[in-house]
Amino acid sequence: MNIAIDGPAGAGKSTIARRVAAELGSIYVDTGAMYRAMALYMIKNGVDAEDPAAIERTCEDAEISIRYQDGMQHVYLNGEDVTGQLRTEEVGNMASKSSACRRVREKLVELQQKLAETTSVVMDGRDIGTVVLPKAELKIYLTASAHTRALRRFQELAEKAKESEDENAVLPDLAEIEKDIEERDYRDMHRENSPLMQAEDAVVVDSSDLTIEEVTNCILKLAAQRKHTS
Ligand code: DC
C-alpha cells in the first residue's frame, strides 16, 4: 500500500509520515530532502536562485540517491552523505526556488517513482498524490494555518538556540518566519511545474488544533479502511 502525504511547509508532514510508516512497516520517503540536496548543490556551486537557466544546467551534474540506514533515510549527493546539511533556512529557501525547475523535478520524480515500485511507501512532499504516485491507495492533504506553522517553527528554532548554549545565538523572529512561510506557500502553489495542490481524491486533514498522535491515528484509521475496501 502506498500512502501520499502532501501539504505546505511546516504542516507536520515528515513527523506524521515517519510515524505512519513505522506503524505500518512501510518505508518513509522524504522527497523534500531530495529537493534540498539539489538546492545544496546549487548553493555549493554559487548558482543564483533567480537564474532558472543556470539551475537547469547545473542540476545535470548532481546525482542524488537514497539509502536507508537503521530505518533512517540518508540522502547522497554525488556520493557524499549530505543528510545533516539539509535542514537550514538557506537550503529551504533555495529548494523552494530550484524545485520550480522542470528538469530538477523530472530527475527527482523518476527516483521517487522507482522507490515506490518495489516496496510499500509513505511518501511526503507537494506533488505526490497528483504527479508522483497518482495511483496511491491513500492520499492525504495535510495542512495547518500559516500562523500555527510559523509558531511551530519558531518554537523549534528557539529550542535549538537554547540547546546550543551560545550566548550570542540570535532568537528567531516570529513575524519574519510567518512572512517566509507565506512567501514559500505562494511560490510552491503558483509555480508552473507541479504546483502544490490537493489531489481530487485526497482527504484533507487540518492539523492546526490536533496533536501529532491525533493526526497519526486519523491517517492510520483511513489506511485501515482503504485496506478493507481494496
Ligand atoms: O518539505 P520541505 O520543506 O523539505 O521541502 C523543501 C522544498 O522542496 C519546498 O519549498 C518545496 C519543494 N518540494 C517540492 O517541490 N516537491 C516535493 N515533492 C517536495 C518538496
Side-chain angles (χ1 to χ4, degrees), residues 15-16 36-37 42 49 62 70 74 76 88 96-97 100 108 110 114 131 136 146 149 156 158 179 202-203 206 214:
T15 308
I16 303 290
R36 284 172 182 264
M42 301 299 153
D70 300 324
H74 285 251
Y76 287 77
T88 66
S96 168
K97 294 186 178 158
L108 297 182
E110 193 189 332
K114 274 208 181 115
V131 176
R149 290 183 283 133
E156 203 179 297
K179 191 172 137 263
V203 180
D206 187 328
E214 285 170 329

Side-chain angles (χ1 to χ4, degrees), residues 31-32 35-36 87 95-96 99 105 125-127 184 188 191:
T31 64
Y35 286 96
R36 284 172 182 264
R87 293 268 141 216
S96 168
S99 64
R105 304 203 70 81
R126 306 293 190 286
D127 58 341
R184 200 178 297 183
D188 289 350
R191 67 181 176 216

Side-chain angles (χ1 to χ4, degrees), residues 94-205:
M94 174 60 102
S96 168
K97 294 186 178 158
S98 52
S99 64
C101 281
R102 190 187 49 83
R103 188 64 194 122
V104 167
R105 304 203 70 81
E106 265 174 18
K107 283 186 84 159
L108 297 182
V109 167
E110 193 189 332
L111 171 63
Q112 293 152 14
Q113 288 176 332
K114 274 208 181 115
L115 280 167
E117 245 169 38
T118 49
T119 175
S120 289
V121 297
V122 178
M123 193 178 279
D124 81 347
R126 306 293 190 286
D127 58 341
I128 311 304
T130 50
V131 176
V132 182
L133 303 175
K135 295 197 179 129
E137 282 80 0
L138 177 60
K139 297 178 188 178
I140 303 290
Y141 190 82
L142 185 62
T143 187
S145 70
H147 184 68
T148 305
R149 290 183 283 133
L151 206 54
R152 287 177 187 162
R153 185 75 188 129
F154 172 81
Q155 281 158 351
E156 203 179 297
L157 291 171
E159 194 61 37
K160 258 192 203 158
K162 207 169 114 195
E163 273 169 17
S164 76
E165 287 177 5
D166 175 0
E167 285 169 18
N168 302 318
V170 188
L171 268 181
D173 177 340
L174 181 59
E176 211 167 285
I177 295 175
E178 193 165 340
K179 191 172 137 263
D180 245 26
I181 282 189
E182 280 167 352
E183 280 172 9
R184 200 178 297 183
D185 282 357
Y186 186 87
R187 274 200 301 272
D188 289 350
M189 290 174 184
H190 292 84
R191 67 181 176 216
E192 196 183 327
N193 300 308
S194 310
L196 166 65
M197 62 177 171
Q198 194 190 314
E200 255 177 36
D201 49 351
V203 180
V204 180
V205 178

